[in-house]
Amino acid sequence: MEPTRRTVIAAIAIAPLAACATLPGGFSLEEGVYRLLSLSSQRAFARLTEPGGFYDDQLTRIEPPAASGREGDVLGAVLRTNAVRGRIAFALNDIAVEAADRAAPIVLDGIRRMTFSDALALARGGPTAATDLLEAQVGDRLVEAMFPEFSAGLSGDMIEVLGAIAGAGGGGQYLALARTASALASRSIFRAIGREEAAIRANPRATRDPAIVALLLSGGAP
């Protein structure tokens, strides 16, 4: 079929983009960013899913929310007790390790499904540019996926404290704590991924991945 004027113009417009999307070694920009995020995520989850993976790391440790001080705030009254607050902190971080197992495949699937509308900007961006995009696209799914883990885990690990809260009419607050913990765990996961991304960007050759090396050492230039 004879090409129309419109298809010829479209092909000419696309050609420079296609050329710019090729890295040294024949890798695409998208492949380089995909591998950068995949390796960063794998390394982060390898740390987070170890015992104490959240609590032992200042960057990812989850702290209970501050007490609100409102009258009738049962959870707030409990959280003003340092001993109980410490127990809740340990429980939250232990549950986060289990929740990270649930989160890992969602993150990796999210990376596979991502569309890199501006892979060049990610290649030339800041130390966590790719992670920031990943969090924007996947973060809400992660919170929803981990919420059941926190809800069930808190009721099991902190049954005395949280049972008292529920018995005093604070059941809604208990669920709010699980929701908050899910959001905090999600944020911690992306902090961990971002740290790994920054480390890879600082020394891409150490990965021995030719696509990552080409992406970062060429600055995304063909």
Side-chain angles (χ1 to χ4, degrees):
M1 184 176 67
E2 195 71 23
T4 66
R5 181 173 177 272
R6 179 174 295 176
T7 59
V8 170
I9 292 173
I12 292 171
I14 293 171
L17 296 177
C20 291
T22 302
L23 297 167
F27 300 101
S28 69
L29 280 167
E30 290 78 5
E31 176 70 11
V33 175
Y34 170 80
R35 292 198 195 181
L36 171 63
L37 273 175
S38 295
L39 183 57
S40 300
S41 298
Q42 290 162 9
R43 289 180 174 180
F45 280 111
R47 290 189 181 193
L48 292 172
T49 53
E50 290 290 321
F54 282 79
Y55 190 84
D56 294 341
D57 188 336
Q58 193 66 39
L59 181 71
T60 60
R61 183 182 301 167
I62 299 169
E63 298 288 352
S68 70
R70 294 194 305 269
E71 185 177 354
D73 182 357
V74 182
L75 179 59
V78 170
L79 289 177
R80 281 191 287 273
T81 306
N82 286 336
V84 174
R85 186 178 177 83
R87 286 179 61 193
I88 292 177
F90 275 116
L92 292 177
N93 286 274
D94 283 346
I95 296 166
V97 173
E98 300 299 323
D101 274 331
R102 184 190 291 262
I106 294 173
V107 169
L108 296 176
D109 179 66
I111 294 171
R112 284 191 292 269
R113 294 172 180 269
M114 284 177 72
T115 55
F116 303 112
S117 58
D118 196 347
L120 182 60
L122 294 180
R124 296 176 176 175
T128 62
T131 300
D132 294 342
L133 176 62
L134 176 64
E135 182 174 11
Q137 295 192 11
V138 181
D140 289 344
R141 286 177 57 200
L142 221 56
V143 174
E144 293 303 319
M146 292 191 292
F147 174 71
E149 194 81 35
F150 276 98
S151 181
L154 281 172
S155 63
D157 290 352
M158 299 296 295
I159 190 166
E160 293 180 9
V161 173
L162 295 174
I165 292 173
Q173 291 180 311
Y174 151 66
L175 292 176
L177 175 60
R179 175 71 63 183
T180 298
S182 301
L184 291 174
S186 176
R187 184 79 275 272
S188 291
I189 286 170
F190 288 110
R191 284 198 193 102
I193 296 172
R195 175 171 57 191
E196 298 298 336
E197 179 188 349
I200 291 171
R201 285 180 182 270
N203 186 14
R205 284 195 176 93
T207 67
R208 298 186 178 181
D209 186 312
I212 292 175
V213 172
L215 175 77
L216 298 179
L217 292 187
S218 68

